[in-house]
């Protein structure tokens, strides 16, 4: 099984990296949006390999669909930009941006790997020893959804409730924003159309 | 099936790993054949039923009762020139029908058609069904955008707005099922609906433990939303032919159009299967036992044959219930005019969403007390 | 970019000429913002056949078949308008029986026209079933027309001073039977449409035509009666034999699409009643009876019940080549299904009309459309435009 | 990887895309190809299309997308609750009702502010 596992991991990771790079480098913003879907789905694949089926599907539901639709709508809202080709211009500021991004990336990499190490030391999740047979059985038959549910309503009740407040704030923000736009609409003068 | 397949490979001396990797081909072929057969029959059925409802004969030229009409249509679409207008975005224009079609096909794999006929049996299957079905929305928006046609774009945007608005009450209605069954595995949801509510001869019928009884409001919400999700009248605004000519697929022709068409009908079928699975007991017989088993158990004593009979009957019940649901959907199509875009949206947000939340609360309270009573 | 995006908010879209819901070949150039209609400009003329100009190079009888093409859904009315105009210029008297036949056919034609409108209207709203039901009944009437005139669409049945043929034998029985069954059919439509909540949502309060607007745009017919203006030429200015028939005009109050629908449905029911009365009152009775009686009588007196003027079909036999109405001009007006059809004929004493001018009701309705749908949702185009009952050949002539 | 079924799911994803692609390719092979200038025109009811079709859309679409996302997240968080509900009991019910209630407040606010009205 290890071979298959590794095969899957590298295949998905390959797709993910390609998709992520295309999001950044593709000339048209709509293409970027499409490759973003692929990237999100690949991330979901990685989650599955990590035994996190619920998170994987949430990833598809929220990111691959919800966020993507928001992105596409945002593209539509910006009108003509969607058709423009966006090439990266090699100006000094681009190099500067690359430098900053590089430093940031290295920092993250360093933190993450270190963090993993410490996590692996502390918890059993990342330990090399196999989980108990009971855990495996639960995972196989019920997935992680129930486990997450129990955790949410015992250990993480407060964050869960705070989350609803956060979502409430998001609704309010969205409504206020939309109202503002609607009130500020200037009545566009009707244009005379020339006959063709 | 799986075991037999692996065994054959082992006998041929091919490594098990290879057998495991190639195994998914078999269920996929089954699912693909099922999908095509279902759509062929469904299109014919829709045309026939609509014809009967509107005092016509319907297709009756190709084959007996016009039975091969759909096949003829499919061949025609296959051999049709694929016209792509100059201003389309060719890559997305080709990709969009695939994005719309593929998720629907995957959902076919997730559905329990009988006790054993589940190609992909996932613990979180129900959740994945909705994640997948909402991906089609992206495909439709892309189709509308790539066509560079004003009607397509309007249709695509409408479709996206409609699909995302109806997705919410749909998912919340499904939550009540998850509460009742305590699982997201579709097979387990079906099994949880067996048994009736007491041991009596009549009350032990499966009908009495179908989810439709505690979650009736949820059923109504789910039914309406699934009609909206598959863009049927009265929610067929994305392709309202009197307004937007043909909506997002105005520019499509040939096989690309056929994929949209196929996806639409396949989605209609699978949504009905989902309704049946979630609310109407799936493949379970409405009675306490399978008819064929009770009928033949005194004659045939071979357990395996009885088992096969049971599976056939399960498939029969599922298909029968599904086509009943589909018949109602077609009936609705023949009866109602279509809604306006703003009415459609307010219907979803101001009526269905509160209703689905009410349903969820009712079901949660019901479940709480029923567990309390059962100990 | 800010400037670009504000400029780009509107979309100019061609609705028609090749569009499923513009009832023929109307082209609407629309400015949409999102789905809100900011501006509409109807472009007409795609079906222009020069019917007015054609009249000037043809004699009256040659022009008569073309008149049917003014509005293919209500051919009898156009024909009648032209015939009444020419008759009043030439001073021709029309026998009563011919007038009754005209009235019966016209009222039947009003029903077919309204049924056709109903199908198109409901089809625009996305309901397919009423179409097939309505066409079933329309077919019955069209069969009657076919039996009477030999045509299903362009009847060419009226002539100056009367009609071309008497009713065929058995026709009246069929008509009576049809009149009996028809109200049940209307009940059937109403069962599926009138109380349908989606239909009510789509049409109630949509496209409200105020009385002032209706007067300003000179809207006529069911559209104006839907706004509560009691104007029906059959009542106010009775032509043919409408003064001998007892009927009502139906009014509604709000002037929205729903009211226009209700008025038309009520008009169809009323038409059935008119036909029933006319079939009873027709001078001479059934053609079979009349034939027998007139042979037996044979008195040839002017006021005879069976062979006098009243039961003739044509007041005076005319020769097509030498028919020259005296110099003069006349306007005749007919209450057609879509409103008042006006035919203006100028004669210079030759056998060809000097000028024929048609003023058609749909033309006004199309002019009204931009004002009615301004600021509405794009989907509202269908109930509003559909309920106005526009037929394009009539607009373009 | 312990959760079963996902391998076959990945296979299904690939196969179903391949199926769609195969259909397109098959049709590409058998279809006639007779391009023409008029065929390649964008359909706009028989007229020359004017202006750009890719216009800027109204913000209302965006608002709906945002609301969708928010309620989608809500639903995603309620799924674990629903699955483990019968093991958690009354406390979970109350918690979930509070959670839903807070979001309903948002919905009511949007309703009252007419943000749910599609212009």
């Amino acid at each position: 099984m290890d071979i298959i596992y590794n095969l899957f991991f590298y295949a998905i990771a390959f797709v993910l990296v390609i998709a992520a790079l295309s999001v950044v480098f593709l000339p048209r913003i709509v293409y970027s949006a499409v490759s973003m879907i692929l990237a999100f789905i690949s991330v979901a694949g990685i989650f599955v390999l990590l035994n996190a089926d619920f998170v994987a599907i949430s990833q598809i539901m929220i990111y691959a669909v919800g966020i993507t639709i928001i992105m596409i709508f945002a593209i539509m809202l910006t009108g003509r930009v969607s058709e423009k080709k966006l090439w990266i211009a090699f100006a000094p500021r681009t190099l500067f941006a690359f430098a900053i991004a590089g430093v940031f990336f290295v920092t993250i990499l360093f933190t993450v790997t270190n963090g993993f190490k410490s996590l692996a030391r502390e918890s059993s999740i990342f330990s090399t020893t196999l989980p108990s047979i009971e855990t495996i059985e639960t995972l196989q038959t019920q997935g992680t959804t129930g486990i997450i549910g129990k955790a949410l309503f015992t250990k993480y009740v407060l964050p869960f409730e705070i989350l609803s407040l956060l979502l409430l704030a998001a609704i309010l923000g969205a409504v206020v924003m939309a109202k503002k736009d609607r009130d500020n609409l200037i009545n566009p003068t009707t244009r005379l159309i020339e006959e063709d | 099936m799986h075991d037999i397949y692996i065994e054959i490979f082992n006998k041929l001396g091919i490594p098990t790993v290879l057998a495991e990797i190639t195994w998914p081909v078999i269920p996929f072929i089954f699912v693909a054949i099922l999908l095509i057969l279902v759509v062929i029959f469904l299109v014919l059925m829709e045309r026939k039923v609509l014809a009967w409802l509107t005092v016509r004969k319907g297709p009756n030229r190709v084959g007996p009762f016009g039975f091969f009409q759909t096949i003829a249509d499919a061949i025609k679409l296959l051999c049709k020139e694929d016209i792509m207008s100059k201003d389309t975005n060719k890559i997305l224009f080709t990709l969009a029908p695939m994005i719309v079609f593929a998720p629907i096909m995957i959902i076919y794999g997730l559905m329990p058609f009988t006790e054993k006929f589940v190609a992909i049996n996932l613990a979180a299957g129900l959740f994945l069904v909705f994640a997948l079905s909402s991906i089609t929305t992206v495909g439709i928006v892309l189709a509308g955008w790539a066509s560079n046609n004003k009607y397509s774009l309007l249709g695509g945007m409408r479709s996206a707005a409609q699909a995302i608005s109806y997705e919410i009450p749909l998912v919340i209605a499904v939550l009540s099922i998850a509460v009742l069954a305590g699982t997201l595995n579709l097979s387990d949801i079906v099994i949880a609906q067996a048994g009736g509510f007491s041991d009596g001869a009549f009350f032990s019928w499966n009908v009495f433990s179908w989810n439709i009884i505690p979650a009736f409001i949820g059923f109504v919400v789910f039914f309406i939303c699934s009609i909206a999700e598959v863009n049927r009248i009265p929610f067929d605004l994305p392709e309202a032919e009197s307004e937007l000519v043909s909506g997002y697929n105005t520019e499509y022709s040939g096989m690309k159009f056929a994929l949209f068409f196929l996806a639409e009908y396949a989605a209609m079928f699978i949504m009905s299967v989902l309704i049946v699975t979630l609310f109407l007991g799936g493949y379970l017989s409405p009675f306490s036992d399978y008819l064929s088993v009770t009928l033949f158990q005194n004659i045939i004593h071979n357990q395996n044959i009885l088992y096969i009979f049971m599976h056939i009957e399960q498939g029969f019940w599922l298909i029968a219930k599904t086509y009943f649901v589909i018949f109602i959907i077609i009936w609705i199509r023949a009866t109602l005019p279509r809604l306006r875009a703003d009415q459609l949206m307010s219907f979803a947000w101001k009526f269905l969403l509160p209703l689905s939340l009410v349903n969820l609360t009712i079901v949660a309270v019901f479940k709480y007390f029923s567990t309390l009573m059962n100990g | 970019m800010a400037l670009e995006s504000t400029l780009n908010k509107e979309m100019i879209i061609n609705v028609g000429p090749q569009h499923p819901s513009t009832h023929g070949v109307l082209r609407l150039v629309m400015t949409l913002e999102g789905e809100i209609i900011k501006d509409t400009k109807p472009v007409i003329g795609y079906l222009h056949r020069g019917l007015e100009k054609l009249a000037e190079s043809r004699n009256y009888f040659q022009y008569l078949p073309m008149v049917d093409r003014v509005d293919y859904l209500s051919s009898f009315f156009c024909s009648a308008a032209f015939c009444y105009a020419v008759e009043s210029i030439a001073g021709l008297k029309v026998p009563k029986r011919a007038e009754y036949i005209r009235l019966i056919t016209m009222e039947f034609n009003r029903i077919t026209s309204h049924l056709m409108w109903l199908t198109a209207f409901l089809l625009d709203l996305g309901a397919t079933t009423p179409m097939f039901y309505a066409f079933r009944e329309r077919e019955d009437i069209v069969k009657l027309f076919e039996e009477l005139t030999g045509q299903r669409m362009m009847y060419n049945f009226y002539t100056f001073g009367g009609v071309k043929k008497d009713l065929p034998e058995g026709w009246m029985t069929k008509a009576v039977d049809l009149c009996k069954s028809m109200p049940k059919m209307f009940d059937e439509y109403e069962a599926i449409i009138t109380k349908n909540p989606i239909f009510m949502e789509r049409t109630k309060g949509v496209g409200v035509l105020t009385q002032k607007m209706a007067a300003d745009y000179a809207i006529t017919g069911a559209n104006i009666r839907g706004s509560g203006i009691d104007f029906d030429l059959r009542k106010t200015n009775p032509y043919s034999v409408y003064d001998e028939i007892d009927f009502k005009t139906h009014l509604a109050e709000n002037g929205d699409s729903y009211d226009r629908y209700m008025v038309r449905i009520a008009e169809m029911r009323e038409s059935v009643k008119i036909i029933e009365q006319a079939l009873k009152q027709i001078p001479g009775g059934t053609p079979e009876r009349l034939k027998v009686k007139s042979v037996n009588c044979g008195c040839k007196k002017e006021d005879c019940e069976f062979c006098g003027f009243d039961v003739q079909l044509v007041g005076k036999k005319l020769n097509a080549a030498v028919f020259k109405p005296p110099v003069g001009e006349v306007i005749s007006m007919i209450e057609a299904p879509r409103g008042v059809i006006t035919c203006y004929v100028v004669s210079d004493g030759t056998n060809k009309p000097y000028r024929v001018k048609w003023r058609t009701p749909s033309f006004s309705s199309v002019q009204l459309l931009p004002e009615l749908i301004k600021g509405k949702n794009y989907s509202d185009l269908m109930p509003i435009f559909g309920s106005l009952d526009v037929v394009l050949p009539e607009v373009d002539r | 990887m312990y959760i079963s079924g996902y391998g076959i799911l990945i296979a299904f994803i690939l196969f179903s895309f391949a199926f769609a692609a195969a259909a397109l390719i098959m049709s590409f092979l058998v279809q006639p190809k007779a391009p023409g200038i008029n065929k390649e025109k964008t359909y706009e009811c028989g007229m020359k299309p004017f202006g750009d079709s890719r216009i800027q859309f109204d913000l209302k679409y965006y608002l709906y997308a945002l609301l969708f996302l928010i309620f989608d997240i809500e639903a995603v968080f309620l799924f674990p609750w629903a699955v483990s509900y019968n093991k958690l009991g009354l406390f979970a019910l109350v918690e979930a009702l509070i959670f839903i209630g807070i979001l309903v407040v948002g919905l009511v606010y949007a309703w009252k502010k007419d943000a749910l009205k599609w212009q």
Side-chain angles (χ1 to χ4, degrees):
Chain A
M1 285 306 275
D2 252 10
I3 305 167
I4 296 177
Y5 181 91
N6 282 337
L7 200 77
F8 270 130
F9 176 78
Y10 284 111
I12 292 170
F14 180 73
V15 173
L16 172 58
V17 169
I18 296 287
L21 285 176
S22 352
V23 173
V24 183
F25 287 111
L26 276 180
R28 282 195 178 152
I29 196 161
V30 183
Y31 293 164
S32 300
V34 175
S35 32
M36 203 166 75
I37 305 173
L38 189 60
F40 282 144
I41 291 176
S42 318
V43 171
I46 300 276
F47 278 134
V48 167
L49 291 180
L50 292 171
N51 286 326
D53 62 338
F54 184 77
V55 181
I57 300 169
S58 309
Q59 170 81 16
I60 294 177
M61 197 135 168
I62 293 173
Y63 284 89
V65 179
I67 298 284
T68 313
I69 283 182
I70 283 195
M71 293 311 270
I72 290 176
F73 277 14
I75 292 165
M76 303 271 183
L77 282 174
T78 51
R80 282 238 168 115
V81 180
S82 52
E83 263 300 87
K84 275 208 181 112
K85 292 197 172 188
L86 307 167
W87 291 112
I88 295 164
F90 280 97
R93 59 173 180 186
T94 322
L95 290 176
F96 186 62
F98 265 109
I100 290 180
V103 169
F104 194 57
F105 177 71
V106 170
T107 321
I108 289 176
L109 201 68
F110 191 69
T111 326
V112 167
T113 43
N114 256 349
F116 265 117
K117 270 177 200 160
S118 59
L119 257 177
R121 271 197 301 276
E122 282 167 21
S123 71
S124 58
I125 305 171
F126 293 96
S127 67
T128 46
T129 53
L130 287 169
S132 67
I133 293 165
E134 271 174 34
T135 322
I136 292 175
E137 243 170 37
T138 339
L139 275 177
Q140 273 176 347
T141 51
Q142 289 156 23
T144 51
T145 320
I147 302 169
I148 291 173
K150 264 180 225 158
L152 267 185
F153 284 90
T154 49
K155 207 170 169 186
Y156 301 103
V157 164
L158 197 63
F160 178 71
E161 292 300 334
I162 290 172
L163 173 93
S164 68
L165 289 175
L166 194 69
L167 290 177
L168 179 66
I171 296 180
L172 303 190
V175 170
V176 168
M177 195 178 71
K179 286 301 284 183
K180 213 174 183 178
D181 179 77
R182 204 167 281 175
D183 296 341
N184 289 350
L185 269 182
I186 313 150
N187 277 341
T189 47
T190 46
R191 271 185 282 170
L192 284 174
I193 306 138
E194 284 183 7
E195 284 298 304
D196 58 330
Chain B
M1 283 291 286
H2 180 244
D3 300 336
I4 302 166
Y5 183 78
I6 304 285
E7 212 168 278
I8 293 169
F9 266 69
N10 282 340
K11 273 182 190 160
L12 292 172
I14 300 164
T16 325
V17 178
L18 210 62
E20 285 284 356
I21 287 175
T22 51
W23 155 244
V25 176
I26 306 293
F28 182 78
I29 289 170
F30 269 104
V31 164
I33 291 169
L34 180 82
L35 186 144
I36 288 166
L37 284 180
V38 150
V39 170
I40 284 175
F41 184 70
L42 187 56
V43 174
L44 183 77
M45 174 185 164
E46 161 145 48
R47 294 176 70 170
K48 278 283 186 193
V49 171
L50 264 186
W52 291 330
L53 286 171
T54 54
V55 225
R56 288 180 292 137
K57 283 207 170 92
N60 63 353
R61 282 290 178 273
V62 192
F65 305 106
F67 202 80
F68 300 119
Q69 182 68 48
T70 328
I71 298 168
D73 287 347
I75 292 169
K76 173 228 162 195
L77 281 172
L78 186 73
C79 302
K80 209 175 165 218
E81 189 188 356
D82 198 352
I83 301 164
M84 235 192 269
S85 87
K86 223 169 35 220
D87 303 324
T88 50
N89 188 322
K90 296 210 164 44
I91 300 170
L92 291 181
F93 192 76
T94 317
L95 202 62
M98 290 160 74
I99 296 180
V100 172
F101 173 75
I104 305 285
M105 196 160 194
I106 301 165
I107 297 176
Y108 271 70
L110 288 163
M111 282 294 156
F113 290 100
T114 70
E115 206 174 304
K116 282 278 182 288
F117 189 6
V118 202
I120 320 166
N121 195 359
L122 293 185
L126 181 58
F127 194 26
L128 185 61
V129 166
F130 293 105
L132 286 172
S133 75
S134 51
I135 287 183
T136 55
T137 314
V138 179
I140 287 174
V141 180
L142 285 177
W145 187 86
S147 300
N148 196 26
N149 177 316
K150 289 160 191 170
Y151 296 110
S152 301
L153 192 67
L154 272 178
M157 290 302 270
R158 267 189 188 185
S159 174
Q162 174 184 327
I164 60 178
S165 298
Y166 279 83
E167 183 90 7
I168 298 300
L170 189 78
V171 171
I172 292 176
V174 159
L175 275 172
S176 62
I177 302 301
V179 166
L180 284 171
T183 173
L184 294 179
N185 184 317
L186 286 160
S187 302
D188 292 348
I189 287 173
V190 175
I191 292 163
Q193 295 178 57
F197 61 68
S198 77
D199 297 331
F202 176 66
F203 291 110
S204 67
W205 282 14
N206 290 332
V207 186
F208 296 108
S209 56
W210 287 359
N211 286 334
I212 187 173
I213 293 170
F216 184 74
I217 304 171
F219 170 73
V220 173
V221 171
F222 192 91
F223 188 72
I224 295 172
C225 289
S226 51
I227 296 175
E229 284 281 301
V230 295
N231 298 336
R232 302 276 307 175
I233 280 177
F235 306 105
D236 71 333
L237 279 122
E239 40 195 300
E241 78 276 354
S242 63
E243 297 161 24
L244 299 176
V245 187
S246 188
Y248 60 87
N249 57 28
T250 304
E251 286 286 324
Y252 279 88
S253 64
M255 201 61 209
K256 293 196 188 99
F257 170 76
L259 275 185
F260 276 125
F261 188 77
L262 197 64
E264 195 186 316
Y265 278 89
M268 181 176 152
F269 179 80
I270 207 68
M271 269 297 179
S272 309
V273 172
L274 198 62
I275 291 170
V276 169
T277 306
L278 297 182
F279 292 95
L280 301 175
Y283 52 73
L284 293 174
S285 119
F287 316 110
S288 54
D289 216 335
Y290 292 102
L291 286 178
S292 57
V293 177
T294 19
L295 217 67
F296 294 120
Q297 65 187 355
N298 297 326
I299 310 162
I300 303 163
H301 296 285
N302 188 332
Q303 281 301 311
N304 286 333
I305 293 174
L306 276 182
Y307 194 67
I308 289 168
F309 271 133
M310 192 185 86
H311 270 272
I312 292 170
E313 199 189 327
Q314 283 175 343
F316 164 77
W317 282 119
L318 184 89
I319 297 286
K321 288 175 196 171
T322 305
Y323 277 108
F324 177 69
V325 171
I326 287 173
F327 174 74
I328 292 175
I329 294 177
I330 296 173
W331 192 0
I332 288 173
R333 175 181 169 177
T335 314
L336 294 179
R338 84 172 56 86
L339 280 163
R340 201 172 61 210
D342 59 330
Q343 292 162 348
L344 185 95
M345 298 305 271
S346 43
F347 187 62
W349 289 100
K350 296 181 180 173
F351 181 73
L352 291 177
L353 180 57
L355 207 61
S356 63
L357 288 171
V358 166
N359 170 61
L360 183 60
T361 317
I362 291 172
V363 168
V365 171
F366 169 86
K367 179 76 180 172
Y368 178 73
F369 282 109
S370 71
T371 14
L372 216 63
M373 280 197 292
N374 295 341
Chain C
M1 206 195 94
L3 183 72
E4 207 177 52
S5 61
T6 46
L7 277 178
N8 219 9
K9 267 200 156 170
E10 291 172 1
M11 173 158 82
I12 301 170
I13 190 166
N14 278 308
V15 181
Q18 294 294 326
H19 190 278
S21 72
T22 52
H23 299 202
V25 283
L26 175 65
R27 176 178 164 209
L28 298 168
V29 182
M30 283 193 167
T31 312
L32 298 181
E33 192 193 300
E35 292 206 8
I36 307 296
I37 298 167
K38 288 283 158 191
D39 189 26
T40 314
K41 201 179 164 202
V43 182
I44 58 170
Y46 286 93
L47 212 61
H48 180 63
R49 290 145 298 164
L51 274 172
E52 291 172 3
K53 196 72 188 162
L54 280 171
E56 294 165 21
S57 57
R58 276 153 180 79
N59 72 33
Y60 287 92
F61 279 90
Q62 282 173 326
Y63 186 54
L64 198 52
M66 289 178 191
V67 172
D68 284 334
R69 273 81 175 168
V70 170
D71 178 356
Y72 56 70
L73 292 179
S74 53
S75 301
F76 278 131
F77 291 92
C78 313
S79 209
F82 186 62
C83 287
Y84 283 130
V86 174
E87 279 154 14
S88 68
I89 279 193
L92 296 168
K93 269 187 80 186
V94 186
K96 267 259 168 77
R97 187 174 173 84
E99 286 285 20
Y100 266 99
I101 293 174
R102 279 185 184 181
L103 183 137
I104 292 165
T105 48
M106 274 197 279
E107 287 304 324
F108 265 134
N109 201 350
R110 190 186 305 279
I111 297 173
T112 60
S113 175
H114 278 348
L115 284 177
M116 184 65 216
W117 158 81
L118 186 73
T119 64
F121 181 42
L122 267 293
L123 212 52
D124 283 353
L125 292 178
T128 41
T129 311
M131 171 185 160
F132 293 103
Y133 286 16
F135 260 74
R136 191 180 55 189
E137 273 74 72
R138 189 175 178 273
E139 182 64 26
D140 291 342
I141 303 176
V142 168
K143 268 184 190 154
L144 281 184
F145 286 162
E146 193 183 356
E147 203 181 330
L148 178 63
T149 68
Q151 301 284 333
R152 287 168 62 86
M153 222 171 169
M154 310 298 174
Y155 311 107
N156 190 20
F157 183 62
Y158 300 165
T159 182
F160 308 123
V163 293
K164 285 190 177 163
K165 277 196 310 186
D166 197 4
L167 302 171
E169 286 181 10
W171 196 89
M172 275 173 75
T173 353
K174 281 179 201 164
V176 169
D177 288 349
L178 194 59
C179 286
K180 261 183 206 144
S181 69
M182 207 97 73
K184 263 180 253 159
M185 300 306 174
F186 298 147
D187 290 344
E188 208 168 274
Y189 312 147
E190 289 217 65
I192 198 173
I193 305 164
T194 307
K195 288 282 163 59
N196 190 319
I198 295 179
F199 177 74
M200 281 159 93
E201 277 280 300
R202 284 295 304 267
T203 52
K204 276 208 166 165
V206 172
V208 177
L209 175 64
T210 59
Q211 296 197 349
K212 184 179 180 306
M213 221 195 275
D216 286 353
Y217 280 92
I219 306 295
T220 45
N223 295 341
I224 205 173
R225 289 194 284 278
S227 303
I229 300 179
D230 192 356
F231 176 72
D232 189 335
L233 275 181
R234 294 176 292 175
K235 274 274 184 220
T236 58
N237 200 356
Y239 52 92
S240 191
V241 279
Y242 278 108
D243 44 358
E244 293 175 14
I245 306 273
D246 174 40
F247 68 101
K248 281 190 297 213
T249 47
H250 289 272
L251 298 180
E253 284 166 5
N254 305 320
D256 53 13
S257 300
Y258 188 75
D259 281 358
R260 290 194 277 276
Y261 158 80
M262 290 305 275
V263 166
R264 286 206 172 87
I265 291 279
E267 265 181 28
M268 284 200 276
R269 289 181 189 279
E270 204 59 47
S271 286
V272 173
K273 283 181 202 155
I274 293 175
I275 295 165
E276 277 176 337
Q277 284 184 45
L279 286 170
K280 269 182 211 144
Q281 293 177 13
I282 185 164
T286 59
E288 300 92 331
R289 175 174 168 267
L290 181 65
K291 210 173 176 182
V292 175
K293 293 268 181 179
S294 60
V295 169
N296 289 347
C297 175
C299 65
K300 306 272 181 206
K301 275 186 198 153
E302 266 297 290
D303 54 349
C304 173
E305 200 189 332
F306 301 117
C307 46
F309 181 75
D310 269 359
V311 294
Q312 297 302 311
L313 295 170
V314 187
K316 189 181 161 195
K317 286 262 180 341
L318 297 169
N319 187 332
V322 298
F323 175 58
K324 288 174 184 165
V327 182
E329 52 183 332
V330 75
I331 278 187
S332 80
M333 289 159 116
I334 291 277
E335 181 73 29
R338 267 160 277 282
V340 174
I341 283 191
T342 310
C343 182
Y344 171 61
V345 180
V346 183
S347 163
D348 57 354
T350 60
N351 63 346
K352 290 169 187 164
Y354 177 74
R355 173 89 169 92
V356 174
K357 164 84 183 128
W358 292 93
R359 186 242 166 243
T360 47
S362 297
F363 188 74
S364 315
S365 302
V366 169
Q367 305 308 313
L368 173 74
L369 186 67
E371 200 171 322
L372 273 189
I373 60 173
K374 192 170 183 182
K376 292 270 162 52
N377 196 303
Y378 176 64
S379 307
D380 280 337
L381 170 67
M382 281 76 220
I384 294 174
F385 186 59
S387 68
L388 286 177
D389 193 10
V390 173
V391 164
L392 261 293
E394 194 201 56
V395 177
D396 293 342
R397 268 106 61 196
Chain D
M1 185 181 148
Y2 304 110
I3 304 163
S4 60
Y6 282 88
I8 206 168
L9 175 71
I10 290 170
F12 256 70
I13 293 173
L14 296 178
F15 288 154
S16 51
F17 270 98
F19 183 88
L24 289 183
I25 290 165
M26 206 156 77
S27 137
F28 181 77
L29 293 177
V30 295
Q31 69 183 230
K33 289 166 197 77
I37 296 166
N38 284 328
K39 268 186 194 172
E40 286 177 358
K41 270 185 194 153
T42 305
Y43 172 81
E44 199 173 311
C45 295
M47 300 311 294
K48 244 188 254 166
F50 33 152
D52 193 11
S53 68
R54 284 160 193 164
I55 50 139
Q56 186 195 355
F57 268 88
D58 200 63
L59 197 66
K60 70 189 174 192
Y61 287 100
Y62 198 64
L63 174 74
Y64 279 109
L66 280 176
L67 282 178
F68 161 71
L69 190 67
I70 290 160
F71 279 94
D72 214 20
I73 292 171
E74 179 203 346
V76 163
F77 272 93
L78 284 175
F79 265 109
W81 165 76
V83 169
S84 53
Y85 174 70
N86 52 359
K87 288 166 204 143
L88 294 168
L90 192 61
F91 177 67
L93 176 62
V94 174
E95 279 296 323
L97 284 182
I98 294 170
F99 183 77
I100 294 170
I102 291 172
L103 282 169
V104 167
V105 170
L107 186 69
V108 170
Y109 176 77
W111 194 331
K112 283 277 165 296
K113 281 276 173 187
D114 257 3
L116 296 179
K117 203 170 126 196
W118 181 280
Q119 277 181 322

